[in-house]
Amino acid sequence: MALAPLAHVLWTRIMRHDADAPDWPNRDRFVLSCGHASILLYSMLYLTGTAWSWTTCGTSASGARRRRATRNGPHHRCRGDDGSLGQGVANGIGMALAEHHLRARFGPELFDHRTFVLASDGDLMEGISHEAASLAGHLGLDKLVVVYDDNHITIDGPTELALTDDAAARFASYGWHVVRLGEVANDLDALEAAIRGGISTDGKPTLLVLRSHIGWPSPNLTDTSKAHGSPFGAEEIAATKAVMGLPPDEAFFVPDDVLAFYRAAGRAGAAERDAWEQLWSGWSTHRAEIEACLAGTGLDGWQDALPTWEPGTSIATRKASDACLNAIIDQVPGLIGGGADLTENTGVELKAATAFSPLHPEGRQIHFGVREHGMGGIMNGMPRTAASSRSAAPSSCSPTA
């Protein structure tokens, strides 16, 4: 609940999206990494009338139940993944990396969307988030904004039980633009200004550190660990609704004017989506390559480029894989090679490819460094930057490692 104002600003003032076409390739991306706020995402999907969205949150039995209930619900489908905390941060960085690559390679007319990630204390305790964040800063992934919900609460109690890190200083050392927002969780204009200011800042990703108060405006459970992982109970729900001026005895109450406002906001990007689709319908430059790259497939006849070996030939699997990858690089435009400091050893070096770098984001060889877990999370996010079932542009560049 404490993050509802932030979600309101993102979904009604900032994000470019169309609820009627949630798989529009150039839409902005929203990644919820913190599992304790999952109901917030489900609420926004219902309010805006969005058919589905991706969510990545911390693993738990209750999280899995919430996900299944939402998938089977009457209002929308939520395509989600439960994993350890920090996965959403790494996935979001993968989405931003794919956008960065597509924009450099095929032009900002087609690809210039932003990625917004909502992360928690738990996300930033996990090592995977820092592996991925370090690489994101090194590569200069702009159009990426991560909001750190610094609410100082975990399920066990205050974060001070186990955490005294200075997250802002850590991200600054990674090469991120960092803003300590302080106590503005309920200031809509301050939130909007901070998010807008964090987009494309000097070629750096942005971390916004937001001090919120979990469970607000609950009169008895704000800033408590109980608000993190347990239901309020009927009495506290009624008391909280009274504070908010809502009918205490009516479940799932949404005033008609509120629903109308959000449904309109959910379709505010329709004109931009239509303009993009009109542009795409007449696009001819590298058309086949773009379609193949987005679909995660090859050009017609790409299989013919694959090498063959006589039965009984002795060849190491990694060597065979290396030969295959290098044989099809021109026929599979979305193929990206990468390794965690073992590129040649593992046979994932695309010998004709330029290395992905701040100077060459169009490069198709990613040097992940010794960041195995971060590499996995990033790669999990890369194909999802445009994942859909639409024939025009259904998915994104798919790396191999």
Side-chain angles (χ1 to χ4, degrees):
M1 296 191 298
L3 295 174
L6 173 66
H8 170 81
V9 169
L10 274 172
W11 289 65
T12 68
R13 299 188 183 184
I14 302 287
M15 286 183 4
R16 180 175 56 208
H17 62 111
D18 181 1
D20 288 334
D23 49 1
W24 164 36
N26 203 36
R27 71 200 182 280
D28 288 339
R29 292 351 185 238
F30 175 78
V31 179
L32 178 71
S33 193
C34 45
H36 73 268
S38 58
I39 192 63
L40 176 63
L41 175 59
Y42 304 155
S43 298
M44 296 307 298
L45 292 173
Y46 167 71
L47 288 170
T48 57
T50 304
W52 56 260
S53 179
W54 283 104
T55 176
T56 303
C57 59
T59 184
S60 67
S62 60
R65 284 195 296 270
R66 285 194 302 269
R67 189 183 69 185
R68 285 196 295 270
T70 302
R71 281 179 170 171
N72 297 327
H75 301 300
H76 65 269
R77 292 167 289 128
C78 181
R79 299 183 178 183
D81 296 284
D82 284 335
S84 63
L85 282 167
Q87 287 286 344
V89 175
N91 290 180
I93 288 170
M95 294 179 188
L97 190 153
E99 184 279 333
H100 203 66
H101 174 81
L102 293 169
R103 174 163 35 108
R105 189 169 168 190
F106 298 120
E109 298 89 352
L110 288 178
F111 305 104
D112 68 342
H113 53 268
R114 295 83 57 90
T115 302
F116 301 99
V117 180
L118 182 51
S120 65
D121 296 295
D123 288 301
L124 298 194
M125 289 187 206
E126 294 279 4
I128 187 173
S129 61
H130 291 279
E131 291 181 23
S134 173
L135 185 62
H138 170 71
L139 295 176
L141 302 183
D142 52 11
K143 295 185 178 291
L144 168 64
V145 177
V146 175
V147 180
Y148 167 32
D149 175 27
D150 184 24
N151 63 31
H152 290 240
I153 294 293
T154 64
I155 293 176
D156 279 357
T159 54
E160 287 76 12
L161 289 171
L163 180 70
T164 52
D165 295 0
D166 186 339
R170 290 184 72 173
F171 273 74
S173 75
Y174 300 151
W176 287 55
H177 174 62
V178 179
V179 181
R180 299 176 189 259
L181 297 179
E183 297 272 0
V184 298
N186 295 321
D187 187 331
L188 303 185
D189 293 338
L191 291 171
E192 179 180 5
I195 296 168
R196 292 193 183 281
I199 299 169
S200 298
T201 302
D202 300 326
K204 297 180 178 181
T206 292
L207 179 75
L208 302 177
V209 183
L210 177 65
R211 178 68 170 102
S212 72
H213 297 272
I214 195 168
W216 181 89
S218 164
N220 300 302
L221 297 179
T222 296
D223 283 331
T224 67
S225 58
K226 183 173 176 58
H228 190 296
S230 302
F232 274 8
E235 290 186 6
E236 191 64 20
I237 291 174
T240 303
K241 287 184 175 182
V243 171
M244 301 173 70
L246 298 174
D249 299 324
E250 188 168 351
F252 302 105
F253 173 76
V254 182
D256 291 341
D257 59 338
V258 171
L259 186 60
F261 171 84
Y262 277 103
R263 290 294 163 89
R267 287 152 182 81
E272 289 181 276
R273 187 259 300 176
D274 183 67
W276 188 93
E277 292 186 338
Q278 289 293 325
L279 176 69
W280 175 244
S281 66
W283 195 270
S284 58
T285 306
H286 301 299
R287 175 83 186 210
E289 290 86 346
I290 295 172
E291 288 184 330
C293 185
L294 293 174
T297 186
L299 302 175
D300 289 343
W302 68 270
Q303 298 95 330
D304 297 335
L306 288 167
T308 59
W309 290 272
E310 291 295 326
T313 300
S314 178
I315 183 172
T317 304
R318 61 182 178 176
K319 294 295 184 181
S321 174
D322 175 76
C324 291
L325 294 176
N326 280 280
I328 62 175
I329 182 173
D330 292 330
Q331 300 301 313
V332 183
L335 177 65
I336 292 177
D341 200 47
L342 289 170
T343 302
E344 182 178 0
N345 305 57
T346 53
V348 292
E349 180 182 11
L350 302 181
K351 297 175 177 59
T354 301
F356 189 113
S357 71
L359 293 179
H360 294 286
E362 78 285 355
R364 294 171 63 184
Q365 184 75 49
I366 301 177
H367 293 285
F368 288 96
V370 188
R371 302 183 179 97
E372 288 94 338
H373 295 106
M375 176 177 69
I378 288 170
M379 291 196 306
N380 194 39
M382 288 177 68
R384 296 178 178 179
T385 195
S388 77
S389 59
R390 306 173 74 209
S391 59
S395 61
S396 182
C397 296
S398 302
T400 180

